[in-house]
Amino acid sequence: MKKTLTIAGSDSSCGAGIQTDLKTFVAHGVYPLTAITAITAQNTVGVSHIEELSMESIKLQIEAVVNDIGADSVKIGMLSNKETILTVSKTLKELNLTNIVLDPVMVSTTGHKLIKDDAINTLIEQLFPIADIITPNIKEAELLVGFEIKNEESMEKAAKKLREYTKGDILIKGGHLDKEDAVDIFYSDGNIHSFISKRVDSSNTHGTGCTLSSAIAANLANGKSKVEAVRDAKDFITSAIESGIDIGKGSGPTNPLFFLKPYSPEKISKEDSFMKETDEFYDLIESLRGKKPLIHHITNSVTINDCANITLAIGGSPVMADDINEVEEMASIASALVINVGTLNSRTIESMIKAGKMANEMGIPVILDPVGAGATSLRKNTLNNLLREVRFAVIKGNSSEIMSLIEEDKKGRGVDSLHKSTEALIIAKELAKKYSSVIAVSGDVDIVTDGDRVAKIKNGTSMMGDVTGTGCMGASLIANFCSISKSNFEAAILGLLSIGIAGEMAESSLRNNEGIGTFKVRMMDYVHSIDSRTLKTKGKVEYV
């Protein structure tokens, strides 16, 4: 397990400081270590007292945990005076710690000053040079650079100015700007990155800076690049603010543990049991990226590039091969096979059957994407032949396509879904039992069933329906997970979760003038950055 050390003050209301750092570390699956610099008496209304700890105590706390346990990253928060800053700087240098995230805490959410005036220059001189990422908000950045920050242009100017004092990167948090969206500017390796999210209308923002910087530190400990660490932390803090806790008479705290349910040993529902059973299966995404499985596609010409890129994004290795003379050999060395009938032609139909049979012989999972099932006689006959000749691990389609596979007297309507998910569920369970396959039905609520178990996945966005190929990409993602999972049922859930969550994250990042083109690219980006924590915390799975 990775370890992250927080060096910060204690908040008696547990909304910020050390306490919220610990909650954030736990949420990211890292082991928390602490060194307390000051004890505050505070609540949602304000800070009434600060008692600074001795320099010896701070130094010994850091040395005790690092010398025994070690630290993969460090988050630095409230350091209220010059002596504390000098002690922390000297100790970190002596211990040669890396992945240091500095949150230059100067003023609390409630407006209380948390650093003495003569300590600001010491902070810049002693801690900026050793920090890897520095995360001031607008007000803090203005104090540090000496000019007003009114827009994104001045945020960039401030970031570049602060970069003069450090080898690290600068994240200017734009929550204080009067804008419809929340825009953060990250200056990294000479490049400007803008991280945009919809502004959450909430007064429960106590601890936002602590939560964000702690999430960045935890992400660095978990091996993410700086840009990935910041981007994922930005998504995390948005969820934590959305789930903010409405307590006290002032500004309530964010909720870094928004994904947790109260522990109840006496009464565990089926959904709780399922999530408990599948805690480990979220980690399959890390195994997938470690193994880089070869995913053989015989797919349609419209989305072939999308399927290849989404496979690369999730961590697999795509190969697109449909020639009759090589499909058997290719299938024999692949880890999974995707058969997509989107742009059927007589040349590839035999290739699909030969490749499918070889994959069955080699024990390799085969995924069928019956695009446009029932729309024409050619599709209907081809799918009947495929289902007769090849055993499919997963059959993935929209409700119209799935219905058409079993209701031979009804015609589908291309790639559009006509049937309600309740009807599709009944048919999907029947189809699963008929073909001994897992059936994955995409729609407003995605459904996965093996004929007995049913999972409903409530992730995704309506914009996904405006982009050609999201269904095909979903089938490719399922194939990637099937290649490394012992359970096709769980693999199908993970595949649909991945693209659904990525779609939600992509939509939330769009500006007013950005549309489906940007959405598609960002969805691919978020699939590339998604990890087990994101799947677990953002996934909306109901097990029936």
Side-chain angles (χ1 to χ4, degrees):
M1 176 179 278
K2 301 297 185 180
K3 290 86 62 180
T4 300
L5 167 65
T6 173
I7 305 170
S10 170
D11 173 1
S12 56
S13 72
C14 294
I18 288 282
Q19 287 84 351
T20 205
D21 294 345
L22 296 179
K23 289 182 278 187
T24 303
F25 293 163
V26 169
H28 286 77
V30 299
Y31 188 81
L33 305 170
T34 67
I36 299 175
T37 60
I39 297 172
T40 70
Q42 65 176 293
N43 51 33
T44 64
V45 177
V47 180
S48 58
H49 176 72
I50 298 176
E51 184 171 333
E52 297 161 347
L53 270 67
S54 71
M55 302 308 104
E56 184 70 7
S57 174
I58 295 169
K59 178 177 184 291
L60 290 175
Q61 288 180 78
I62 298 171
E63 290 177 341
V65 293
V66 173
N67 288 334
D68 177 37
I69 301 170
D72 298 291
S73 66
V74 180
K75 175 268 172 86
I76 303 174
M78 176 185 169
L79 308 177
S80 60
N81 59 58
K82 290 171 59 175
E83 292 75 18
T84 300
I85 293 169
L86 288 167
T87 298
V88 170
S89 174
K90 182 180 178 183
T91 307
L92 293 181
K93 289 175 184 176
E94 289 173 350
L95 294 170
N96 197 30
L97 293 175
T98 59
N99 288 330
I100 297 173
V101 178
L102 173 61
D103 183 10
V105 178
M106 297 180 181
V107 182
S108 71
T109 301
T110 55
H112 190 96
K113 198 165 187 179
L114 299 174
I115 189 171
K116 296 176 181 177
D117 290 336
D118 64 355
I120 295 177
N121 285 336
T122 308
L123 184 75
I124 294 173
E125 293 168 1
Q126 295 295 321
L127 288 178
F128 273 47
I130 66 171
D132 293 282
I133 297 178
I134 303 169
T135 65
N137 60 32
I138 293 288
K139 299 299 181 184
E140 291 160 346
E142 286 178 339
L143 284 174
L144 291 167
V145 299
F147 58 79
E148 187 179 6
I149 299 173
K150 300 182 293 184
N151 49 40
E152 292 177 47
E153 183 179 352
S154 53
M155 288 173 72
E156 292 182 14
K157 180 182 176 182
K160 291 176 180 179
K161 176 65 177 177
L162 291 176
R163 184 64 172 78
E164 297 174 7
Y165 306 122
T166 177
K167 66 178 178 60
D169 297 335
I170 307 296
L171 175 68
I172 307 288
K173 299 172 292 188
H176 291 91
L177 284 184
D178 185 18
K179 290 176 63 67
E180 181 179 347
D181 296 326
V183 181
D184 295 348
I185 296 297
F186 187 43
Y187 186 48
S188 176
D189 295 328
N191 298 310
I192 291 290
H193 304 268
S194 296
F195 296 106
I196 305 163
S197 63
K198 293 180 180 178
R199 185 176 296 277
V200 180
D201 184 16
S202 173
S203 62
N204 300 321
T205 56
H206 183 44
T208 50
C210 300
T211 305
L212 179 66
S213 56
S214 295
I216 294 171
N219 287 333
L220 291 176
N222 282 324
K224 293 189 176 181
S225 69
K226 291 181 182 180
V227 174
E228 288 175 328
V230 172
R231 179 177 59 208
D232 290 355
K234 171 80 169 175
D235 293 331
F236 180 81
I237 188 59
T238 299
S239 296
I241 295 172
E242 288 174 339
S243 305
I245 302 171
D246 192 16
I247 56 173
K249 301 174 183 178
S251 179
T254 64
N255 182 15
L257 299 178
F258 56 86
F259 57 92
L260 286 185
K261 297 179 181 179
Y263 175 62
S264 178
E266 292 83 13
K267 186 177 181 180
I268 301 177
S269 68
K270 284 187 176 181
E271 180 179 353
D272 292 333
S273 297
F274 173 71
M275 295 308 289
K276 181 179 179 182
E277 291 172 5
T278 58
D279 274 351
E280 292 183 1
F281 101 103
Y282 288 109
D283 293 332
L284 284 173
I285 191 167
E286 318 302 345
S287 299
L288 191 162
R289 287 176 172 148
K291 293 182 179 179
K292 298 187 184 302
L294 180 66
I295 310 300
H296 180 191
H297 289 73
I298 303 178
T299 190
N300 77 66
S301 58
V302 175
T303 63
I304 187 169
N305 190 58
D306 297 326
C307 294
N309 282 327
I310 206 74
T311 294
L312 288 168
I314 201 66
S317 298
V319 59
M320 281 40 196
D322 62 7
D323 191 277
I324 192 71
N325 296 307
E326 72 166 346
V327 289
E328 289 179 302
E329 183 179 358
M330 189 64 72
S332 71
I333 63 173
S335 299
L337 168 65
V338 179
I339 294 178
N340 179 310
V341 301
T343 49
L344 272 181
N345 61 71
S346 56
R347 180 181 63 82
T348 57
I349 291 172
E350 187 178 354
S351 293
M352 292 176 179
I353 293 174
K354 293 190 78 168
K357 285 185 173 181
M358 176 56 70
N360 287 165
E361 184 179 328
M362 301 298 294
I364 296 165
V366 187
I367 289 75
L368 174 64
D369 190 351
V371 178
T376 66
S377 296
L378 176 63
R379 292 175 188 273
K380 176 180 174 182
N381 294 334
T382 298
L383 287 167
N384 285 340
N385 288 336
L386 283 167
L387 290 166
R388 183 171 55 251
E389 298 288 340
V390 180
R391 297 188 308 276
F392 290 98
V394 178
I395 302 171
K396 184 265 167 204
N398 63 37
S399 57
S400 178
E401 292 160 350
I402 295 301
M403 296 276 282
S404 294
L405 293 179
I406 205 160
E407 295 183 347
E408 296 182 357
D409 59 328
K410 292 186 178 181
K411 282 195 173 184
R413 188 184 139 214
V415 297
D416 296 322
S417 175
L418 296 175
H419 304 279
K420 293 181 179 178
S421 59
T422 51
E423 299 176 78
L425 174 57
I426 297 171
I427 298 300
K429 293 178 74 171
E430 183 179 343
L431 200 65
K433 292 179 178 179
K434 179 177 180 179
Y435 291 111
S436 298
S437 300
V438 169
I439 308 300
V441 188
S442 58
D444 292 339
V445 175
D446 297 336
I447 296 168
V448 176
T449 180
D450 59 4
D452 296 315
R453 297 177 293 176
V454 175
K456 294 184 177 181
I457 303 162
K458 300 179 180 180
N459 292 97
T461 167
S462 60
M463 282 195 77
M464 295 171 69
D466 298 330
V467 177
T468 299
T470 52
C472 301
M473 288 187 275
S476 294
L477 291 173
I478 290 172
N480 276 271
F481 285 107
C482 280
S483 73
I484 53 132
S485 175
K486 296 178 181 178
S487 168
N488 296 324
F489 178 69
E490 293 179 345
I493 295 170
L494 281 170
L496 294 178
L497 268 182
S498 297
I499 196 164
I501 292 171
E504 290 175 344
M505 294 167 74
E507 184 181 59
S508 69
S509 73
L510 295 178
R511 298 190 188 191
N512 292 334
N513 63 340
E514 293 175 334
I516 60 173
T518 304
F519 169 79
K520 180 178 178 181
V521 172
R522 292 214 180 133
M523 182 173 68
M524 197 88 68
D525 286 341
Y526 282 116
V527 168
H528 180 260
S529 66
I530 205 165
D531 58 13
S532 57
R533 182 197 63 78
T534 306
L535 288 171
K536 186 174 181 180
T537 57
K538 291 186 177 290
K540 305 168 189 173
V541 183
E542 177 186 353
Y543 184 69
V544 182

